[in-house]
Amino acid sequence: MFLFRSGGDRVTVDDARRRTQGTDAPSVLLDVREQGEWDAGHAPGALHAPLSRLATGGALPAAAQGRPLVVICRSGNRSQQAAKLLAARGAEAVDVKGGMQAWAAAGHLVVDERGNNGSIA
């Protein structure tokens, strides 16, 4: 079990992958980029909730509710904002340093909306 301090901790992409991949993963990878960015490429198994929607009171996807969150965006700026916002709502959240750019640079899989090789826009 991983301990989280809500809304201030940052993790590496490798740590994010360990926490969120697999059927018994303790955490959910939450991508807060906008729809076009998500469609172009995201981490397999990630859930999508754009920061713009969360900032206006939008709910988390059902599969993310009540679970520890590892929040990711393109470079790490929006995910930091989202983690703080979600922590203020009572969620356990950390964000990923370097975002999807770092994820892809580390050689982790990126898929598009059809499950094919994706790209980071």
Side-chain angles (χ1 to χ4, degrees):
M1 179 78 170
F2 294 98
L3 298 177
F4 288 81
R5 279 184 288 148
S6 298
D9 289 344
R10 306 195 84 194
V11 298
T12 66
V13 292
D14 291 331
D15 193 27
R17 187 169 180 263
R18 279 190 295 275
R19 292 181 187 209
T20 62
Q21 301 295 298
T23 56
D24 60 347
S27 303
V28 171
L29 186 62
L30 184 70
D31 192 318
V32 296
R33 296 174 300 143
E34 295 303 315
Q35 190 67 50
E37 295 171 289
W38 167 265
D39 291 345
H42 55 272
L47 298 177
H48 186 224
L51 176 58
S52 60
R53 187 174 34 182
L54 293 173
T56 59
L60 287 170
Q65 293 179 10
R67 297 201 48 209
L69 305 170
V70 177
V71 186
I72 196 165
C73 67
R74 183 173 187 262
S75 65
N77 292 324
R78 286 176 284 178
S79 60
Q80 227 176 351
Q81 293 172 31
K84 289 176 183 173
L85 174 88
L86 292 165
R89 293 185 189 176
E92 294 180 63
V94 297
D95 83 286
V96 181
K97 290 185 279 188
M100 285 300 298
Q101 290 176 326
W103 182 276
H108 300 314
L109 188 59
V110 176
V111 297
D112 67 13
E113 76 276 12
R114 294 183 183 92
N116 300 317
N117 285 334
S119 63
I120 305 307

